């Protein structure tokens, strides 16, 4: 069920972006509406079926509150795409430094996706009300916000836009955290590599002890027939 | 004495928020005043009693300067609620990754509380003076500040508002620090998991050594009767 | 020679602050000038004497470029006070978590000192030119800058003010770094505490091995007289 | 081939900076154009030759996409200089704490270079269009952006300027990350130093075990002739 849902999320995001940015009329608008409703139906069916086939329903319900939010709030639906990024990361499993590589790939993907969705949502909420009047401006604003730079040349003024902005700021804090933590893990490991010779020396010592004892046993074995 | 104090802090925060946001008149205002004075009395009594029953009074005094500040400064009183968050965290003790889980829960709770209290205080200080004229604007300003984004669409102009803002900024630095540190700890541990096989191998080697020596003793024990 | 230099730095900072903030006339101004020149002379004498009594002069010169900068640039002279903070930290040596405690104390002290000096310098450079026209505004600006919030309600426009601001921003990055690193070290250690039982078990095992071998020696010693 | 390319990057940066800042006419402009084209030719030749002499061409192509970008985009060419910084760092190999020292040196160099190149590019893109009208203003803007302060006194309004700005903001996040990670690594190591006595004690114990076993062997050797 993973791939159909990811596909539904991609389609939803595409239709949502077309509706907001291009404001199509006539047939294209109807098509977009159909895609939005159809993909939403996919998420609802997936949620209901999984809830139905599980045994401890309340426990499942509490642990899948995010899934419920994805069904209820259209904005969160593309979050499903972040799972898709994990799948992509699995392909690169053969290369070393896997965990960090995966974290980096996931971070880049999640940041791009977050910036895109936040720009869409804010553009939708602010157009005609605040200063954010074109989609490129919304993307620029999203980058200025997620990096916590905050020039103040554009800022949301509607409640919806501000809620999206707060989410984006929290994403920015998380972004700084992930970048720093990955670098810290790398530096700590590199420094530890230089001190690891001591540890392997100890292992060699234990191995030396074992061979000494093997010799001992041989010596005692030679004692036995004589006595 | 923990639960009454936490309850007092909740009541204080509620009455304080109602007074600042709703500016009630008549009976409700009197009620709020009574709650504010009563909860303050609870904190004073708690502080005095604890100071009275302790033995090394000066040492206790130095180590509980924060408690004194909570009694003296009304603004700091809701900080007591942060202890309440610790209590909540204890409930979730059974899940793994406990320490980090607790840190995350505490961080989320402390951030929400800090943003709320800072918004209240700044709203109280700036209303009618600066640009921050509604409570939602104050909350928006608090989020923009604690994430260190700082658009500059709203900023405090009074001394009281600026002192609150500096506290909020320091909270923001701490927030970035906690998020990053928790992620770093997780990544470092996950990377270390992959190298831990070497360490357990050494332990297995020592265990191997022990059994070799046990065999040796048995061999010498067999020698004895013969000689 | 540490205490006289620290005292000179305190006096320099006091006279410098009085001159900039209060703009005194007459006797007080002359007194401030005398203090500024006298404290500068102390730093010059200290630098020259240390350079004279050292053996490898070029090496000493390269390794003490900061000291030269302190002599040449009046702005940097209060940096000497940061050594004083280390002395304060030594007093608290008895408490556990010493290194981190020292880092925290040093960070708080260095931050307060940096904000104060930066506010003084920017106030000196910008007064009458830009928006930063009172000392409290300069302090507010310094806090907004060092926490990287950057509202943009005040910003320097002169070259001197901007150089100070860049230094303050770099200080802000360092501040975030120190706070995060200290927290990360604490969390990593706390998590490591929970896994340390494995390591001490290994030590116990090695101790067990030793006593097994001692028994072995005793058994062989008992063999000897019989044969 | 490393030094000619680095030299080419230095020449390119110098000619690029002269053209943008000084806007020379006549001979100097022609000379700058020649240098820009000649250094570009060096990069193209280097790329083509390396691609020609490699065996697994597609693999090499994928792993050297940055090199292709350096050839195609003039802006990225000075990035080659960052390798030069590594060379400088090798000189300081003899001092302890090498890895972190290298990281610090590389960070300072990369930050200065990034600020300079970003200021050049934004100045080139924004001059006459937005507020950034002098090169010192562009440098000031670059520092305000890379430290994520973002006053908002200057900000780019053209598409090219904004793309450079986003790159600079990402550089700022990386800068915070590197500073924090280096500090964290240092603090974690310093704290670990205090607990390392336990580990070396274990090593001493293992060494003790070995000498005990050597004694054992000697005792058994003395047993042999008797029996």
């Amino acid at each position: 069920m993973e791939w159909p849902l990811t596909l539904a999320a991609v389609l939803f995001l595409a239709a949502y972006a077309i509706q907001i940015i291009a404001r199509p009329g006539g047939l294209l608008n109807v098509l977009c509406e159909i895609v939005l409703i159809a993909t939403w139906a996919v998420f609802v069916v997936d949620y209901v079926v999984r809830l139905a086939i599980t045994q401890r329903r309340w426990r499942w319900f509490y642990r899948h509150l995010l899934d419920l939010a994805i069904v209820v709030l259209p904005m969160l639906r593309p979050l499903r795409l972040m799972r898709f990024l994990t799948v992509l990361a699995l392909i690169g499993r053969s290369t070393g430094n896997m965990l960090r590589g995966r974290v980096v790939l996931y971070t880049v993907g999640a940041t791009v996706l977050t910036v895109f969705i936040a720009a869409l949502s804010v553009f939708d909420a602010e157009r005609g009300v605040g200063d954010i009047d074109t989609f490129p401006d919304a993307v620029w604003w999203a980058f200025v916000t997620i990096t916590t730079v905050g020039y103040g040349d554009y800022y949301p003024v509607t409640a919806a836009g501000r809620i999206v902005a707060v989410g984006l700021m929290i994403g920015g804090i998380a972004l700084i955290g992930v970048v720093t933590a990955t670098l810290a893990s790398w530096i700590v490991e590199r420094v530890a590599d230089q001190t690891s010779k001591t540890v392997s020396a100890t292992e060699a010592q234990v191995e030396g002890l074992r061979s000494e004892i093997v010799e001992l046993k041989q010596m005692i074995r030679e004692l036995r027939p004589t006595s």
Side-chain angles (χ1 to χ4, degrees), chain A:
Chain A
M1 274 310 280
E2 202 59 40
W3 284 92
L5 284 167
T6 305
L7 187 69
V10 172
L11 285 174
F12 172 84
L13 190 59
Y16 185 58
I18 289 168
Q19 269 209 332
I20 292 178
I21 300 174
R23 286 185 157 180
L27 192 68
L28 187 52
N29 194 23
V30 172
L31 193 74
C32 283
E33 279 297 332
I34 291 171
V35 169
L36 289 179
I37 292 165
T39 54
W40 177 70
V42 170
F43 281 99
V44 171
V45 167
D46 169 68
Y47 186 82
V48 170
V49 167
R50 282 196 296 160
L51 184 59
I53 64 174
T54 199
Q55 296 213 313
R56 298 183 179 181
R57 261 174 219 173
W58 279 111
R59 203 179 153 198
W60 189 92
F61 180 77
Y62 279 119
R63 295 199 173 177
H64 293 76
L65 280 174
L66 186 65
D67 289 27
L68 181 62
I70 284 174
V71 167
V72 174
L73 297 171
M75 226 63 98
L76 296 178
R77 225 157 286 156
L79 284 182
R80 164 76 46 176
L81 289 174
M82 295 199 184
R83 291 212 187 151
F84 180 60
L85 291 166
T86 321
V87 175
L88 272 178
L90 291 178
I91 298 165
R93 188 180 285 208
S94 53
T95 60
N97 278 327
M98 198 178 80
L99 180 66
R100 272 193 297 269
R102 226 186 249 191
V103 167
V104 168
L105 193 60
Y106 194 90
T107 306
V108 170
T111 304
V112 169
L113 208 61
T114 305
V115 164
F116 185 64
I117 297 167
L120 269 182
S121 314
V122 159
F123 180 51
D124 192 23
E126 299 279 320
R127 181 161 47 181
V129 183
D131 289 332
I132 306 172
D133 251 345
T134 70
F135 185 65
D137 281 356
V139 170
W140 164 245
W141 166 83
F143 271 114
V144 169
T145 301
I146 203 173
T147 55
T148 79
V149 170
Y151 288 125
D153 49 351
Y154 296 102
Y155 46 82
V157 293
T158 63
R162 285 182 177 176
I163 288 167
V164 171
V166 167
L168 199 57
M169 289 166 198
I170 292 166
I173 301 271
L175 178 63
I176 294 176
V178 169
V179 168
T180 302
T182 310
L183 282 165
S185 145
W186 182 80
I187 290 179
V188 166
E189 198 181 318
R190 282 290 295 269
V191 170
D193 272 4
Q194 297 174 348
T195 60
S196 67
K197 282 166 198 163
T198 331
V199 174
S200 53
T202 313
E203 264 188 72
Q205 283 177 324
V206 171
E207 202 48 61
L209 275 179
R210 178 191 289 278
S211 59
E212 295 266 341
I213 289 174
V214 167
E215 278 181 58
L216 249 178
K217 278 163 100 170
Q218 188 53 37
M219 283 166 80
I220 291 174
R221 214 169 274 126
E222 283 164 16
L223 270 181
R224 235 181 313 188
T226 336
S227 57

